[in-house]
Amino acid sequence: MTGRAAAPGAAVALAAVAMSNLLLAWDLTGIAITLPSLDATFQPSASMLMWLQNTFPLALAACAPLASFPARRIGIRRTFIASAAVMTIAAAVTAAAPGTTVFLLGRLLLGAASAVAVAAGLALLTATRDAKGLSSAIAVTTAFTAAGLALGPLASGLLIDLFSWRGVFAVHTALAAAILLVSLPLLRTARGDGEQAPPTSPSLALLLSAAILAGAVGVQSLVDAPALGAILIAGTVAALTGFVLAERRAHSPFVPRRLRGSRVFSVTLALGALVYAAVAASQPFQSLLLQRAGWSATAAGLFLVAVTGGIAVGSGVSSWVVTRLGVRTTVITGLALSAIGTALLIGMSTAPIGLTVAAIGNLLSGVGVGIASPQALSWGMGAAEDPSTTAPAATAQTTARRAGSAYGYALFSLLPAYGMSIAIATPIMFAIATVLMLAALVAALQAPQNASGSAERVAQRRRW
C-alpha cells in the first residue's frame, strides 16, 4: 500500500525538513568564518571567543538524548512547527545581539531547537511516507544537508564581506522564518498526531543530557574558573555513574539490552565520538589563522570549502564505495584517508607551501569523514536487528557523535584560552586530532566484520 506515501502534507513536510537540514548544516560549518568579526565587535577574551563558537554544538549535544520527547506531548507536526518558531526567534536574537551574553543566549536556543527539529523532522518524514517514499525523502534531505555543509563557509564569508557578521544571522533568521511558514499547513493534519512514547525513560535521557552538558562546560571552564570546572567534571562523573547503574536496572534503558553485547555497536559509538571530536575545531582554528593573517572572510570561506565540500563529496560516493569494499573496509578506508589528511594539517601555515599542504589535508580529511561517517552509522545500526531497537540505536549513535563534537570543541578551546596564539595552537590541535582519528582507525580495525554475527554470539552466550 502506498497510502502513507501520499499522506496529507507529505510534500510540505519534505520541503520544511530539507530546509531545516540546510540551515543546521550551514550553521555548523559557517559559524567559524564569523569568529574574527565577532572578535572585532565584542572584543571578548580568548576563552569567551571560543564560547561564541561552541555554544551551538554544545546545546545540540546536550539536547540530543531528549530531542524525541516533545512529540509525546504535542505531536510530531506541532513539535516541528514549534522548533521552527524557536529557531526563528533565536536566530533573530543572535543577529541583533548587543553583547556576548545575548549572543550566547541566542546560540543556546538555536542549538536546542535544532536538536528537536532534527528528531521531529525524521519522525515527520516517517509518518507521511511509506518505506520507498521515505528512502527518497531522506535522499533529498541528505542532499540539502550536504549543500549546507559544503557552502556554509563560503556563504557566510560572502555575507560578512558584503554586510557584516549580523548579515549571516539575519539570513539565518529569514531561512528559519521560511521554514516556519512552509510548515504551518501541517497544522491541518496535526489532530491525533501523537508519536509513540520513546522507549527510553525521560529520567535516563535527562541524566545523560546533564552529564554531557556539565562535562563539556566543566572542561571549557578550567581556565577562567578552575574550581567551577573541577566541580562540574566531578558532577559529570557522578552523573555518568548514576546513568550506568540506572541503565542496568531500567525497564526501558537508553541503550537496549540486546545491543549492549554487540561489539560492533560499541565500536561504532566510539568511532562516532572520536571522529567528531577530532574534526570539531578544524574550521574555527583555520578561520582565525587565515583571517588574522589578512585574508578576507570570503577567501577564508573558500579555502575551507575544501574540507566541507570534501565531506559532501565523500558522503555522495560512500554508497558506491560500500558496494565494492563492504561496510567495514569502507569505514577503515575513510578513517585512514581522514587520519592522513589531519596529519598533513599539522604543518599548516600561511606560507604558500603550508597552504598547499593544508588544502590537500582538508580535502583528504573531508572526503575520508564523508566516506566513513554514514557507513559507520549503518554498520552500528546493523546490530539493531529487532525493529524495536532501531530508534534507540539511532538516538544513541547520534548522541555519541554530538557529545564527541561538544567535548572536542571544549578540549581544543583550552589551547587559546591558556594564552597560546592561534599560530602555535593550530598545529597542536591538529596533532591531538590526528591521535583521535588514529584511535578511531585502530578501533575499526579490531571490530568484527558484521553486526549480526556479534549479536548471534551474544544470544548464544545468553542461551548457555
Side-chain angles (χ1 to χ4, degrees):
M1 186 176 87
T2 60
R4 279 177 49 189
V12 170
L14 177 58
V17 173
M19 292 168 64
S20 68
N21 282 16
L22 174 68
L23 177 57
L24 172 61
W26 179 1
D27 210 314
L28 284 171
T29 61
I31 181 64
I33 302 300
T34 69
L35 290 181
S37 299
L38 293 172
D39 192 18
T41 300
F42 297 136
Q43 298 183 346
S45 65
S47 178
M48 177 56 71
L49 183 62
M50 292 295 100
W51 275 113
L52 299 182
Q53 158 71 42
N54 299 354
T55 301
F56 178 83
L58 175 58
L60 204 61
C63 293
L66 295 166
S68 61
F69 285 96
R72 295 176 61 184
R73 299 292 183 183
I74 63 174
I76 299 169
R77 290 166 175 80
R78 292 189 183 95
T79 296
F80 185 85
I81 292 170
S83 66
V86 175
M87 288 164 62
T88 304
I89 295 170
V93 168
T94 304
T100 56
T101 301
V102 177
F103 186 93
L104 291 174
L105 176 61
R107 297 296 287 165
L108 186 68
L109 287 174
L110 188 58
S114 297
V116 175
V118 169
L122 181 58
L124 186 57
L125 294 179
T126 303
T128 55
R129 296 172 182 272
D130 62 8
K132 183 178 180 181
L134 178 61
S135 178
S136 299
I138 289 177
V140 171
T141 57
T142 300
F144 273 75
T145 300
L149 288 173
L151 300 178
L154 180 57
S156 294
L158 287 170
L159 288 170
I160 290 170
D161 286 339
L162 289 173
F163 305 103
S164 71
W165 64 265
R166 296 185 190 276
V168 176
F169 297 107
V171 173
H172 283 197
T173 304
L175 183 53
I179 296 169
L180 176 59
L181 290 174
V182 168
S183 60
L184 282 177
L186 294 172
L187 286 174
R188 299 171 187 169
T189 56
R191 187 179 297 275
D193 185 37
E195 186 181 29
Q196 284 189 344
T200 304
S201 67
S203 57
L204 278 175
L206 183 61
L207 191 60
L208 182 57
S209 289
I212 293 172
L213 179 62
V217 172
V219 170
Q220 198 164 335
S221 300
L222 287 175
V223 176
D224 293 335
L228 175 62
I231 291 171
L232 289 173
I233 292 173
T236 299
V237 173
L240 287 176
T241 302
F243 173 79
V244 171
L245 294 176
E247 272 275 281
R248 294 176 179 176
R249 301 179 179 180
H251 177 70
S252 301
F254 188 78
V255 177
R257 293 181 179 85
R258 298 180 183 182
L259 295 178
R260 292 179 190 171
S262 170
R263 188 176 174 188
V264 166
F265 187 76
S266 299
V267 166
T268 51
L269 285 177
L271 288 181
L274 288 168
V275 169
Y276 278 69
V279 302
S282 170
Q283 295 173 66
F285 275 64
Q286 291 187 67
S287 173
L288 287 167
L289 180 66
L290 294 174
Q291 292 188 65
R292 287 179 178 176
W295 286 44
S296 69
T298 301
L302 184 61
F303 186 83
L304 289 180
V305 167
V307 62
T308 58
I311 293 174
V313 170
S315 298
V317 303
S318 182
S319 297
W320 177 84
V321 174
V322 78
T323 60
R324 286 154 178 78
L325 300 181
V327 174
R328 180 175 180 271
T329 305
T330 297
V331 172
I332 290 171
T333 301
L335 291 175
L337 281 175
S338 190
I340 293 171
T342 306
L344 289 176
L345 286 164
I346 296 174
M348 181 179 181
S349 70
T350 54
I353 184 63
L355 290 173
T356 301
V357 172
I360 296 172
N362 275 332
L363 184 61
L364 288 177
S365 177
V367 170
V369 169
I371 289 174
S373 183
Q375 299 311 322
L377 181 60
S378 298
W379 194 15
M381 292 296 291
E385 296 176 335
D386 186 335
S388 66
T389 64
T390 300
T395 300
Q397 293 281 349
T398 300
T399 300
R401 294 177 177 213
R402 300 295 191 204
S405 291
Y407 277 82
Y409 280 119
L411 174 64
F412 294 131
S413 292
L414 295 179
L415 299 175
Y418 272 116
M420 290 185 187
S421 68
I422 290 298
I424 296 175
T426 299
I428 296 175
M429 185 276 295
F430 280 119
I432 298 172
T434 301
V435 172
L436 293 174
M437 201 66 74
L438 288 173
L441 178 59
V442 170
L445 287 169
Q446 294 179 344
Q449 178 64 36
N450 57 67
S452 59
S454 176
E456 289 170 2
R457 286 193 294 273
V458 172
Q460 186 177 26
R461 285 199 300 269
R462 287 176 178 170
R463 285 195 297 269
W464 282 103

